[in-house]
Amino acid sequence: MRTQVAIIGGGPAGLLLGHLLRAEGIAVTIIERQSAAHVLGRIRAGVLERTTTDLLVRLGLDGRMRQEGLRHDGFFLADGERLIHVDIAALTGRHVTVYGQTEVTRDLMEAAAPRGLAVIHGAADVALHDVDSDRPAVSFTLDGRSQRLECDFICGCDGFHGPSRQAMPAHVARVFDKAYPFGWLGILADVPPCSDELIYANHERGFALASMRSATRSRYYIQVPLDEPLADWPDERLWDELALRLGPEAGGRIVRGPAIEKSIAPLRSFVCEPMRHGRLFLAGDAAHIVPPTGAKGLNLAASDVAYLSDALIRWYAKGEGDGLAGYSARALARVWKSERFSWQLTRLMHRFPDGDAFDRRMQVAELDYIASSEAARTAIAENYVGLPL
Ligand code: RFL
Ligand code: PHB
């Protein structure tokens, strides 16, 4: 088999990239290990930056998002005693959109076949070959049969655990890794949210986040130790804990209901430099991970893909290679700024098991500064709403 661009991974990064290239007539094949149902079953991101929603608009795939997405003009930081309002719209003139990653992925998946975007689900043993030659290839097993796909370029959009980053030679790739000593326990339930806007709370019992998917579906998280067994958190215990950590006002408005999804995710910061080797390009979680505190992961995947699609489109349309040559540096410049923001907000809002009284005073002073300074709130708001491409 032969295509122009082979994309490994049919998550949001791979699907979005595939559509952007298809829209310019480029032949694309996406190779995904899981079934479509499995990919749609993952409950992840909820907050989209303008840069991300703009890509869906450009593709004409924003219909359902415009109907069902929620415009958010601000959010709250809670420090146990008060709610600090970060009025994104007033501070930046922009807003974010609450529309689940699951829904974005579904919209992209449903439009794939009608737009000639080939997606192969259920591909096993995916391996990359000859990425530093002009004729790279991807091999895989489908329904027990070995397949080989030759291409001009391979885009590794296969998430943190995929094979693409591993295909970069060890002497080329430099990784920066920071694991945090806690995870997030998330619950999704069909109950109305306790607040119109998201609340990020730093409580003495640990971090909590009140988020949502719609007016009738809530998403909450609490910080838990890394080795916490999920079985220790029956729904009622989790609702009790959320009510405590979110404080009397918002906590008192929580509507409880049975979990339709409950899981624990570890938190980490990770960057692989460079994001390109020969004809292999990495995008999204394959190249970098941020802790979810800043709501940046999916949005970074989208900005990578915006840069990469732009470079590939120019290469095919005009034979210009400078976009491809500059992709890694361009993407990494934005990645590191989001890494910084996510790391800073994680440090500010969580209780660290090894944190001492001084560390706690630093959090209190920083939250106090944010509450009293419009400049500080503007800095947070402009990062949260998304830095320009
Ligand atoms: P994905 O979504 O992991 O997709 C990668 C795809 O590659 C496939 N794959 C393979 N395919 C073929 N062969 C192999 N060997 C393969 N190995 C893997 C996988 O099956 C999968 O389908 O990466 P992508 O596309 O880069 O997208 C990244 C986002 O998923 C991620 O950054 C966000 O979910 C992070 N994130 C958030 N991001 C935001 O922008 N805003 C948020 O509010 C937000 N909240 C979150 C989050 C992530 C969370 N978790 C669980 C990690 C909240 C949570 C709890
Ligand atoms: C979510 O709704 O899943 C969500 C929202 C904001 C975050 C992380 C996750 O920072």
Side-chain angles (χ1 to χ4, degrees):
M1 293 190 291
R2 177 150 182 90
T3 190
Q4 288 179 304
V5 178
I7 297 176
I8 304 179
L15 287 166
L16 201 49
L17 177 62
H19 274 290
L20 290 165
L21 298 177
R22 269 314 293 153
E24 303 300 320
I26 298 167
V28 180
T29 301
I30 297 179
I31 303 157
E32 164 63 50
R33 183 169 57 138
Q34 305 287 358
S35 67
H38 185 282
V39 173
L40 288 177
R42 299 187 187 115
I43 305 300
R44 289 189 175 171
V47 179
L48 306 181
E49 296 174 358
R50 177 66 183 269
T51 43
T52 306
T53 56
D54 277 353
L55 291 175
L56 294 169
V57 172
R58 176 170 143 197
L59 289 166
L61 292 177
D62 58 322
R64 206 159 62 89
M65 179 179 73
R66 265 191 291 126
Q67 296 268 313
E68 297 173 20
L70 306 173
R71 176 193 163 124
H72 276 219
D73 288 331
F75 64 91
F76 292 98
L77 296 176
D79 69 354
E81 282 160 36
R82 64 189 153 172
L83 286 173
I84 303 167
H85 191 222
V86 181
D87 189 336
I88 310 174
L91 295 165
T92 68
R94 293 186 290 153
H95 65 268
V96 292
T97 302
V98 168
Y99 188 65
Q101 173 168 335
T102 313
E103 308 311 320
V104 174
T105 309
R106 186 190 307 280
D107 295 343
L108 293 168
M109 263 185 196
E110 283 178 357
R115 295 183 176 202
L117 175 59
V119 186
I120 297 171
H121 282 107
D125 313 320
V126 174
L128 297 83
H129 305 278
D130 307 323
V131 295
D132 43 12
S133 79
D134 286 350
R135 299 295 299 264
V138 180
S139 64
F140 55 96
T141 310
L142 190 66
D143 300 327
R145 290 183 32 213
S146 301
Q147 309 275 353
R148 187 178 167 92
L149 176 65
E150 300 194 333
C151 55
D152 301 329
F153 299 99
I154 300 176
C155 297
C157 300
D158 45 358
F160 186 65
H161 300 286
S164 296
R165 191 179 63 255
Q166 309 306 330
M168 302 245 292
H171 69 274
V172 171
R174 175 159 186 213
V175 301
F176 303 80
D177 195 5
K178 180 180 274 298
Y180 298 86
F182 41 74
W184 278 17
L185 165 57
I187 181 171
L188 186 71
D190 276 327
V191 291
C194 70
S195 162
D196 288 345
E197 293 188 340
L198 270 63
I199 303 173
Y200 294 83
N202 180 333
H203 190 273
E204 61 182 4
R205 299 172 66 92
F207 170 81
L209 168 60
S211 180
M212 70 197 73
R213 290 291 176 275
S214 71
T216 56
R217 181 169 284 190
S218 300
R219 179 70 164 161
Y220 292 96
Y221 299 93
I222 57 166
Q223 168 187 352
V224 292
L226 265 184
D227 52 3
E228 194 83 335
L230 195 56
D232 284 3
W233 288 93
D235 294 358
E236 276 314 302
R237 179 179 177 208
L238 184 45
W239 291 120
D240 288 344
E241 190 66 26
L242 278 162
L244 280 176
R245 295 192 190 182
L246 289 168
E249 205 185 313
R253 287 195 302 263
I254 289 179
V255 182
R256 300 178 180 214
I260 47 180
E261 195 265 0
K262 203 173 359 171
S263 55
I264 297 179
L267 267 65
R268 82 187 308 141
S269 298
F270 177 94
V271 179
C272 169
E273 290 185 349
M275 288 169 60
R276 173 208 184 168
H277 175 63
R279 290 199 164 213
L280 167 65
F281 295 84
L282 302 180
D285 280 15
H288 41 72
I289 296 289
V290 286
T293 325
K296 289 288 158 243
L298 172 60
N299 293 301
L300 270 186
S303 61
D304 287 353
V305 155
Y307 295 139
L308 183 53
S309 59
D310 184 44
L312 286 166
I313 289 164
R314 277 174 48 212
W315 194 87
Y316 280 109
K318 302 183 188 146
E320 292 171 4
D322 56 322
L324 291 174
Y327 164 69
S328 175
R330 205 177 164 203
L332 282 167
R334 196 169 189 277
V335 165
W336 277 114
K337 293 191 192 86
S338 290
E339 289 284 347
R340 185 202 68 82
F341 178 64
S342 306
W343 163 81
Q344 184 200 32
L345 205 57
T346 301
R347 261 193 340 174
L348 176 65
M349 299 309 293
H350 291 75
R351 296 297 168 122
F352 285 71
D354 57 352
D356 58 19
F358 182 86
D359 297 331
R360 179 60 197 143
R361 285 290 189 279
M362 288 297 98
Q363 289 185 333
V364 172
E366 192 170 339
L367 284 162
D368 215 18
Y369 172 56
I370 293 166
S372 64
S373 161
E374 186 172 310
R377 287 194 302 281
T378 304
I380 291 180
E382 77 172 352
N383 279 280
Y384 195 83
V385 80
L387 297 174
L389 275 185

